[in-house]
Amino acid sequence: EIVLTQSPATLSLSPGERATLSCRASQSVSRFLGWYQQKPGQAPRLLIYDASNRATGIPARFSGSGSGTDFTLTISGLEPEDFAVYYCQQRSNWPQFTFGGGTKVEIK
Amino acid sequence: EVQLVESGGVVVQPGGSLRLSCAASGFIFDDYAMHWVRQAPGKGLEWVSLISWDGGHIYYTDSVKGRFTISRDNSKNSLFLQMNNLRPDDTALYYCARDIDLSGSGRFDYWGQGTLVTVSS
């Protein structure tokens, strides 16, 4: 099983600031990594797939980078609606898909 | 508009059975693979099962193999999860999720709101 470790567990920032979230895989996943956003009481929403491709309708302030074992989700300027939990997910070890433990982005 | 609506979640005793349903609308259902993903209360996401567009390819996470069965009825735009021999650690919100493609690439582009399964005596 590929284990995904996200850091930090919680990120406290103010609106307008830049958020940098990390996801590290226990073995290479090439570029087969996605990012999801989940707000309280809501279903997850796909933000980024295959490391750096924005999903349909996702604002340009969200960007993804990385390959192999180290990945980053960057939110270039936090909007009030961006405060949420973010999960990374690998699809390299198909079909045993796994998610990271999540990073909570909270208002400072 | 793509919509996925889950139903069937209830409180069930350990060892019991349950069938979850997911009604899909707003897209051509048999053009896409479908998944079940669960989330235990206050915890992260766990992929459970995948079914290809035609039901010809099915996969499960190890912890549910032999107990859960995924199926679909393309004539009714519906996805199902038959859950047998339920355990307390199966307690979770169960989401159905659409895959980006028909074979099941592991990219989940639309999700339902989930149905809660509680396994407790």
Side-chain angles (χ1 to χ4, degrees):
Chain A
E1 175 184 324
I2 295 178
V3 177
L4 301 178
T5 302
Q6 293 187 242
S7 61
T10 304
L11 197 52
S12 298
L13 294 168
S14 300
E17 288 192 296
R18 181 185 188 95
T20 303
L21 288 66
S22 175
C23 178
R24 177 163 288 178
S26 60
Q27 63 190 76
S28 176
V29 297
S30 185
R31 290 179 60 82
F32 298 125
L33 188 111
W35 291 92
Y36 296 80
Q37 176 195 66
Q38 187 178 34
K39 297 179 183 179
Q42 295 188 18
R45 177 172 73 142
L46 177 65
L47 299 175
I48 301 286
Y49 64 91
D50 294 348
S52 60
N53 298 286
R54 269 190 303 277
T56 302
I58 300 304
R61 65 181 182 273
F62 291 92
S63 63
S65 63
S67 65
T69 60
D70 291 295
F71 298 85
T72 300
L73 174 70
T74 301
I75 311 171
S76 60
L78 283 164
E79 298 286 343
E81 62 268 27
D82 298 338
F83 292 91
V85 178
Y86 293 83
Y87 295 96
C88 57
Q89 175 247 328
Q90 66 79 24
R91 67 183 190 93
S92 175
N93 186 26
W94 189 94
Q96 297 301 321
F97 313 114
T98 53
F99 292 86
T103 290
K104 181 180 181 181
V105 179
E106 65 175 23
I107 299 176
K108 186 174 181 180
Chain B
E1 179 193 3
V2 172
Q3 284 200 323
L4 299 168
V5 180
E6 302 92 337
S7 61
V10 291
V11 178
V12 61
Q13 291 189 339
S17 297
L18 204 54
R19 189 192 198 208
L20 305 184
S21 300
C22 173
S25 60
F27 64 101
I28 301 172
F29 186 63
D30 53 8
D31 275 356
Y32 296 90
M34 297 294 295
H35 302 261
W36 288 99
V37 178
R38 66 185 179 183
Q39 186 170 34
K43 302 297 183 182
L45 300 164
E46 180 186 23
W47 173 79
V48 174
S49 184
L50 155 66
I51 186 167
S52 61
W53 68 278
D54 62 350
H57 299 277
I58 286 173
Y59 307 93
Y60 302 97
T61 192
D62 287 346
S63 63
V64 309
K65 280 179 185 174
R67 300 188 299 122
F68 290 10
T69 302
I70 191 172
S71 62
R72 63 191 295 162
D73 184 341
N74 287 345
S75 68
K76 296 182 178 178
N77 292 343
S78 294
L79 175 71
F80 305 101
L81 186 66
Q82 177 67 41
M83 310 165 69
N84 297 330
N85 192 19
L86 283 159
R87 311 187 304 217
D89 62 355
D90 294 318
T91 295
L93 188 63
Y94 284 74
Y95 294 103
C96 70
R98 191 183 83 168
D99 198 284
I100 278 183
D101 68 30
L102 52 78
S103 61
S105 63
R107 294 169 287 185
F108 316 116
D109 65 347
Y110 284 94
W111 300 60
Q113 288 303 304
T115 187
L116 182 62
V117 173
T118 303
V119 184
S120 174
S121 54

